[in-house]
Amino acid sequence: DTEVTQTPKHLVMGMTNKKSLKCEQHMGHRAMYWYKQKAKKPPELMFVYSYEKLSINESVPSRFSPECPNSSLLNLHLHALQPEDSALYLCASSQVSDGRREQFFGPGTRLTVL
Amino acid sequence: DAKTTQPTSMDCAEGRAANLPCNHSTISGNEYVYWYRQIHSQGPQYIIHGLKNNETNEMASLIITEDRKSSTLILPHATLRDTAVYYCIVRNAGGTSYGKLTFGQGTILTVHP
């Protein structure tokens, strides 16, 4: 299995809602990543988890809360989002978190905040 | 990580080789050159990476100049399904960067029938 899966595919939420995005991989990878991609822009890194520990937070607002419950699963909890947070949220994984190993990306969750 | 410069867009005829250039003149000795592509509305897809030597896999070839300041991704026989945004990324091997991928604007490759 060489796939990263993300659910849901699409999500529409209001500014007062709480929702979660889920990402799963069964490749035995020990590094997982969240990226945000606005329309017609390149992906931007948000968080890096290495061996289930948060290694990088790219100064992401606290309304985004990542969680890595185990080595196969990565969540992104959303609360009190703004319309400008509407974007494609991409999850990725790699064997380890160093530059010698490629990252495998999921298809993304397209989020719309009303 | 070193920055990269790519042309904004390129065209290629179906069946011909697509040669995508990338400049990375400030690359340092422990930085890899990576190529990813993103087909519309999908997640990025890894293509190939290299450090010093030329590399080839089932998707593409990567040619890195001897001084490592530039590289070319070659898709030997482009098909319509290769139409995508191609990202050239220079990436630190380790340290505190934790394998960070920093995407630039990329090259929009359009393959024509």
Side-chain angles (χ1 to χ4, degrees):
Chain A
D1 185 359
T2 57
E3 208 178 2
V4 176
T5 58
Q6 291 188 244
T7 52
K9 282 188 170 45
H10 301 273
L11 179 62
V12 179
M13 60 186 290
M15 290 190 283
T16 57
N17 292 157
K18 282 185 184 181
K19 296 285 184 185
S20 296
L21 309 185
K22 180 180 170 182
C23 172
E24 202 160 4
Q25 56 87 13
H26 296 286
M27 295 178 276
H29 290 173
R30 302 311 299 271
M32 296 186 79
Y33 311 79
W34 280 115
Y35 289 82
K36 174 181 177 178
Q37 185 173 25
K38 301 281 282 182
K40 298 189 188 302
K41 297 289 187 184
E44 293 180 345
L45 181 68
M46 299 174 73
F47 302 104
V48 178
Y49 272 84
S50 178
Y51 292 89
E52 294 99 71
K53 287 189 168 48
L54 184 64
S55 304
I56 292 181
N57 175 343
E58 292 284 272
S59 303
V60 178
S62 60
R63 57 186 184 269
F64 296 91
S65 175
E67 179 197 20
C68 190
N70 59 58
S71 59
S72 300
L73 195 54
L74 185 67
N75 298 320
L76 187 63
H77 303 297
L78 314 172
H79 173 54
L81 294 194
Q82 304 296 311
E84 59 264 29
D85 296 321
S86 298
L88 181 68
Y89 287 84
L90 295 159
C91 174
S93 72
S94 62
Q95 280 189 340
V96 290
S97 60
D98 72 37
R100 286 176 284 261
R101 303 293 186 180
E102 65 269 33
Q103 293 181 15
F104 293 81
F105 283 80
T109 292
R110 190 160 299 280
L111 174 68
T112 303
V113 182
L114 300 177
Chain B
D1 289 345
K3 291 199 175 160
T4 61
T5 305
Q6 298 178 251
T8 304
S9 63
M10 293 182 67
D11 289 334
C12 179
E14 191 177 19
R16 303 299 294 266
N19 296 284
L20 290 90
C22 180
N23 284 322
H24 32 79
S25 58
T26 59
I27 193 170
S28 62
N30 65 345
E31 289 181 317
Y32 286 76
V33 179
Y34 272 78
W35 284 84
Y36 281 79
R37 73 180 183 185
Q38 189 171 23
I39 295 167
H40 183 61
S41 295
Q42 297 183 21
Q45 178 189 23
Y46 165 79
I47 302 173
I48 199 165
H49 74 285
L51 184 63
K52 292 181 187 175
N53 300 321
N54 298 337
E55 302 287 344
T56 295
N57 62 21
E58 64 279 2
M59 285 184 71
S61 294
L62 173 60
I63 308 297
I64 303 174
T65 57
E66 197 169 336
D67 63 6
R68 302 211 321 125
K69 293 186 177 183
S70 66
S71 61
T72 302
L73 177 75
I74 301 172
L75 307 179
H77 305 287
T79 71
L80 299 179
R81 288 175 296 179
D82 292 321
T83 293
V85 180
Y86 286 76
Y87 295 103
C88 169
I89 302 165
V90 171
R91 192 172 172 212
N92 201 296
T96 57
S97 68
Y98 286 94
K100 226 171 119 166
L101 272 181
T102 303
F103 289 82
Q105 295 304 310
T107 296
I108 301 169
L109 175 69
T110 304
V111 181
H112 297 284

